[in-house]
Amino acid sequence: DQQVKQNSPSLSVQEGRISILNCDYTNSMFDYFLWYKKYPAEGPTFLISISSIKDKNEDGRFTVFLNKSAKHLSLHIVPSQPGDSAVYFCAAANMDSNYQLIWGAGTKLIIKP
Amino acid sequence: DVKVTQSSRYLVKRTGEKVFLECVQDMDHENMFWYRQDPGLGLRLIYFSYDVKMKEKGDIPEGYSVSREKKERFSLILESASTNQTSMYLCASSPLAEQYFGPGTRLTVT
C-alpha cells in the first residue's frame, strides 16, 4: 500500500515555463514533507521541504505548496531551466517515527529547449 | 558540506558471491540508511541504523544484512548475490529528517 504517490511517471515542459510536480499521501500522521532531485548515476539531492504547520515554502525558483485537507503537495519550478531535467522524488515523514522517510516513485521531468 | 561516500560506483559480481558495499559519512550523523532504487519503484529502504551497533529492518531486508561498528561507517552485505539484486544502491545519513545521499553504487549480478 503506497502511502506516498506520484501519479505522473513523467512530465515534459517548455524551457522558461512553470513545471508543476504533484504528490499525494494517505497517512494523516505525516507532518514533514521533502522534495529531492536526482540525476542519472548520482544520489538524490535535497531541494526543499515543508512542515505541516505551513502551507507554502519558497526557495528561489522552487516553491512547495501543501494542502493538508486534500493530502496533496506540489512543487513549482519557475522558470524551468534545462538543468532542471531530472527525476523528482517526494518524501514524507512523521517526526515522531525516528525520521524515517516514505518515498514516492518519482516523476521524470524533461525540460524542452 | 556533508559528504557521504560509497566504496564503489560500479560493481559486477557473480551469482552466489558475497558482496560488501561500504558507506562513510563525515558529519557525525546518528542516522544512516541503505536503499535500493529500481525504475518505477522509487527508493525502497533495506536497513537503517540510529546508532552504533544498532540496526532496524526496512521494507525489503531479505537477502541483505548490515553492520555498523563505527558511527561514520555503515556497511551493506549481500550474503549470496542473486540476479534480482541487480540495482542501484544508495546510502544516506541524516541528523533529522533531511537525508544526505552518497553517489550510489550500480551493482550488476550476473
Side-chain angles (χ1 to χ4, degrees):
Chain A
D1 179 31
Q2 272 191 301
Q3 296 186 66
V4 177
K5 295 180 184 178
Q6 294 176 256
N7 291 317
S8 299
S10 66
L11 176 67
S12 188
V13 173
Q14 202 72 34
E15 182 179 356
R17 299 290 189 105
I18 183 171
S19 295
I20 300 176
L21 296 102
N22 294 303
C23 179
D24 297 294
Y25 62 96
T26 57
N27 189 340
S28 57
M29 298 299 291
F30 290 145
D31 53 11
Y32 195 72
F33 303 88
L34 307 90
W35 283 95
Y36 281 77
K37 174 180 178 179
K38 185 183 183 301
Y39 292 120
E42 292 184 14
T45 54
F46 171 74
L47 264 181
I48 192 168
S49 62
I50 188 166
S51 163
S52 60
I53 62 172
K54 293 186 173 182
D55 53 19
K56 177 182 174 181
N57 188 25
E58 195 171 349
D59 183 2
R61 295 186 299 115
F62 302 92
T63 303
V64 55
F65 295 91
L66 175 62
N67 182 334
K68 287 191 293 292
S69 61
K71 294 191 178 68
H72 177 83
L73 63 155
S74 60
L75 174 69
H76 292 211
I77 306 173
V78 183
S80 300
Q81 298 175 353
D84 297 330
S85 294
V87 176
Y88 289 78
F89 290 99
C90 167
N94 175 349
M95 298 299 267
D96 289 332
S97 69
N98 287 325
Y99 310 117
Q100 187 178 340
L101 295 182
I102 308 301
W103 296 83
T107 296
K108 183 175 183 178
L109 176 64
I110 300 162
I111 305 301
K112 299 179 292 186
Chain B
D1 267 358
V2 176
K3 194 162 176 81
V4 180
T5 57
Q6 294 184 229
S7 49
S8 306
R9 292 299 301 272
Y10 300 93
L11 210 51
V12 180
K13 294 292 181 181
R14 293 192 183 276
T15 301
E17 278 193 84
K18 192 168 186 175
V19 182
F20 293 86
L21 302 181
E22 299 233 299
C23 175
V24 178
Q25 51 99 358
D26 66 355
M27 284 302 292
D28 203 37
H29 289 165
E30 300 287 341
N31 312 314
M32 295 189 76
F33 306 83
W34 274 107
Y35 294 91
R36 62 179 282 177
Q37 185 208 353
D38 300 288
L41 297 178
L43 276 68
R44 293 184 292 166
L45 183 63
I46 304 171
Y47 268 96
F48 56 99
S49 169
Y50 294 123
D51 203 350
V52 175
K53 295 193 187 294
M54 179 272 181
K55 60 187 178 186
E56 293 280 348
K57 291 180 180 179
D59 300 319
I60 51 164
E62 296 78 20
Y64 304 95
S65 62
V66 290
S67 171
R68 193 163 181 203
E69 296 295 319
K70 294 185 177 181
K71 192 174 186 180
E72 68 270 18
R73 190 180 297 268
F74 192 34
S75 302
L76 179 70
I77 302 144
L78 286 67
E79 296 290 341
S80 177
S82 63
T83 54
N84 63 12
Q85 292 179 310
T86 291
S87 186
M88 167 72 93
Y89 289 88
L90 293 160
C91 174
S93 72
S94 74
L96 295 170
E98 184 182 323
Q99 294 182 12
Y100 298 87
F101 284 84
T105 297
R106 169 68 65 184
L107 173 67
T108 302
V109 183
T110 61

